[in-house]
């Protein structure tokens, strides 16, 4: 009992800190280092095997307050990751390029994103939720020569993202836009789509993409279930007349997992 209480206390503490950091963001790199440490600690908390066991016990109890806490934490953590990307962009654009573990973890994930359905120089890739520091478009475009389009709902993320791409890969075929999938004129030519794990309505967009995309499209949905759902929006059931799972790439050492869908 004591163990469970301690776990929830940790979660409450993380939530208060995330709320505090999201309120404090002022478009400068003030508080950057502290937020880096917090996100790093949170990542370690989520990957900790002992916490996994506690989570499984708590899940069995199906407590409403606990579910509410998890939902709030996930939203605030997602916001802080987006802010962390803004800090990273601001630092790069002012000449500072140091990295931290959270980003290294994500960068390692990108390598194996599409399992057997590899991206080639002929591919046309869409990233939903490209963020202020578009690591995924940069890595894909550099490694494969593919065309990459990133979309985001946040004006500042698009502005920073474009400046980061200009600085780190101006020769690459990358375009960032603040548009919705239905406004994308090449949506039917896409070969691969990636969803950022912290996009809240990613499954609604996936559903919508069924009629907009071609028959061979392959979708990589980043997600996190159980303990990882503290940091990521989880996997959801899909309409099995529209989409089918072709691979589920579980990564015990990474903050999110990836499920691949093709048309049913
Ligand atoms: C921080 S970034 C990428 C984080 C991390 N690489 C990941 O996989 O989740 C997530 C971005 O998604 C954007 N976003 C959230 N909801 C979105 C939506 N419905 N459509 C497009 N972008 C969205 C946010 O503005 C944010 O910039």
């Amino acid at each position: 009992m004591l163990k469970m209480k301690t776990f929830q206390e940790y979660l409450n503490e993380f939530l208060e800190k995330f709320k505090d950091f999201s309120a404090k963001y002022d478009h400068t790199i003030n508080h950057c280092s502290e937020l880096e440490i917090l996100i790093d600690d949170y990542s370690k908390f989520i990957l900790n095997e002992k916490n996994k066991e506690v989570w499984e016990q708590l899940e069995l109890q199906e407590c409403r307050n606990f579910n509410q806490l998890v939902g709030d934490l996930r939203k605030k953590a997602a916001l802080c990751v987006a802010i962390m990307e803004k800090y990273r962009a601001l630092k790069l654009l002012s000449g500072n390029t140091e990295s931290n573990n959270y980003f290294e973890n994500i960068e390692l994930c990108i390598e194996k994103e599409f399992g057997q359905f590899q991206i080639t120089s002929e591919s046309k890739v869409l990233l939903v939720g490209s963020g202020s520091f578009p690591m995924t478009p940069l890595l894909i475009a550099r490694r494969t020569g593919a065309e990459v389009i990133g979309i985001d709902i946040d004006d500042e993320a698009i502005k920073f993202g474009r400046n980061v791409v200009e600085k780190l890969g101006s020769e690459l075929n990358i375009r960032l836009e603040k548009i919705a999938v239905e406004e994308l004129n090449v949506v039917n030519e896409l070969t691969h789509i990636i969803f950022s794990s912290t996009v809240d309505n990613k499954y609604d967009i996936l559903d919508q993409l069924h009629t907009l995309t071609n028959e061979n499209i392959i979708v990589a949905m980043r997600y996190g279930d159980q303990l990882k759902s503290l940091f990521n929006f989880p996997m959801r059931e899909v309409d099995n007349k529209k989409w089918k799972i072709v691979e589920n790439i579980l990564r015990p050492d990474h903050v999110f997992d990836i499920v691949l869908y093709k048309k049913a």
Side-chain angles (χ1 to χ4, degrees):
M1 198 61 197
L2 182 66
K3 203 175 172 189
M4 288 181 198
K5 194 169 169 223
T6 307
F7 183 86
Q8 293 204 33
E9 276 172 4
Y10 269 118
L11 297 189
N12 276 312
E13 223 172 88
F14 276 122
L15 178 60
E16 287 315 308
K17 287 184 183 164
F18 282 132
K19 279 183 183 168
D20 188 36
F21 277 106
S22 44
K24 278 201 295 209
Y25 175 63
D26 62 0
H27 312 275
T28 74
I29 57 166
N30 287 337
H31 317 296
C32 171
S33 311
E34 302 139 79
L35 182 58
E36 245 171 36
I37 292 168
L38 176 63
I39 289 180
D40 205 28
D41 285 350
Y42 197 56
S43 304
K44 285 184 189 137
F45 183 88
I46 278 156
L47 295 176
N48 184 325
E49 279 301 315
K50 286 192 189 121
N51 289 335
K52 219 163 133 184
E53 288 164 27
V54 182
W55 175 272
E56 278 157 17
Q57 291 167 32
L58 282 170
E59 240 185 357
L60 291 176
Q61 297 174 9
E62 287 216 4
C63 168
R64 240 184 89 221
N65 289 347
F66 182 66
N67 291 342
Q68 177 73 42
L69 173 60
V70 171
D72 290 348
L73 248 175
R74 183 189 299 141
K75 284 202 173 120
K76 287 294 174 196
L79 193 56
C80 282
V81 169
I83 292 171
M84 197 58 241
E85 289 203 6
K86 290 177 198 279
Y87 285 144
R88 197 186 185 191
L90 279 162
K91 280 166 85 173
L92 176 88
L93 298 169
S94 64
N96 182 336
T97 55
E98 73 190 41
S99 178
N100 72 42
N101 288 344
Y102 173 74
F103 287 109
E104 277 159 21
N105 189 321
I106 284 197
E107 280 160 13
L108 286 172
C109 276
I110 291 166
E111 287 261 285
K112 294 177 188 153
E113 188 99 43
F114 280 101
Q116 51 177 309
F117 304 96
Q118 285 306 312
I119 297 171
T120 70
S121 59
E122 304 301 307
S123 305
K124 203 173 273 216
V125 184
L126 172 70
L127 173 65
V128 181
S130 45
S132 298
F133 201 100
M135 300 160 283
T136 302
L138 283 163
L139 280 164
I140 291 175
R142 175 157 295 119
R143 288 204 185 147
T144 65
E147 176 181 347
V148 188
I149 303 158
I151 60 171
D152 205 290
I153 50 169
D154 175 7
D155 282 315
E156 193 178 38
I158 294 292
K159 186 187 90 183
F160 282 151
R162 285 179 181 159
N163 290 338
V164 168
V165 168
E166 181 58 33
K167 182 140 184 174
L168 297 181
S170 58
E171 74 287 9
L172 303 172
N173 195 353
I174 298 174
R175 177 157 66 93
L176 303 176
E177 305 279 354
K178 190 194 171 198
I179 52 173
V181 285
E182 67 272 21
E183 296 168 305
L184 196 64
N185 54 9
V186 294
V187 67
N188 189 42
E189 295 164 27
L190 296 171
T191 57
H192 298 72
I193 298 174
I194 303 173
F195 281 92
S196 283
S197 63
T198 53
V199 169
D200 193 344
N201 58 340
K202 59 193 178 183
Y203 275 93
D204 298 330
I205 302 174
L206 175 67
D207 189 71
Q208 189 188 2
L209 278 166
H210 186 265
T211 51
L212 299 171
T213 49
N214 68 62
E215 287 314 298
N216 300 317
I217 191 78
I218 170 99
V219 179
M221 179 69 81
R222 296 174 180 174
Y223 76 97
D225 284 350
Q226 287 102 30
L227 192 57
K228 289 185 185 179
S229 72
L230 286 172
F231 215 160
N232 306 280
F233 290 93
M235 195 196 299
R236 280 211 333 229
E237 288 271 321
V238 287
D239 180 343
N240 60 15
K241 291 191 211 69
K242 292 183 175 173
W243 297 105
K244 63 174 182 202
I245 294 178
V246 286
E247 206 172 326
N248 189 6
I249 307 169
L250 294 175
R251 306 166 162 264
D253 300 329
H254 297 280
V255 287
F256 60 79
D257 300 311
I258 301 160
V259 59
L260 301 183
Y261 296 100
K262 278 185 83 69
K263 286 194 177 173

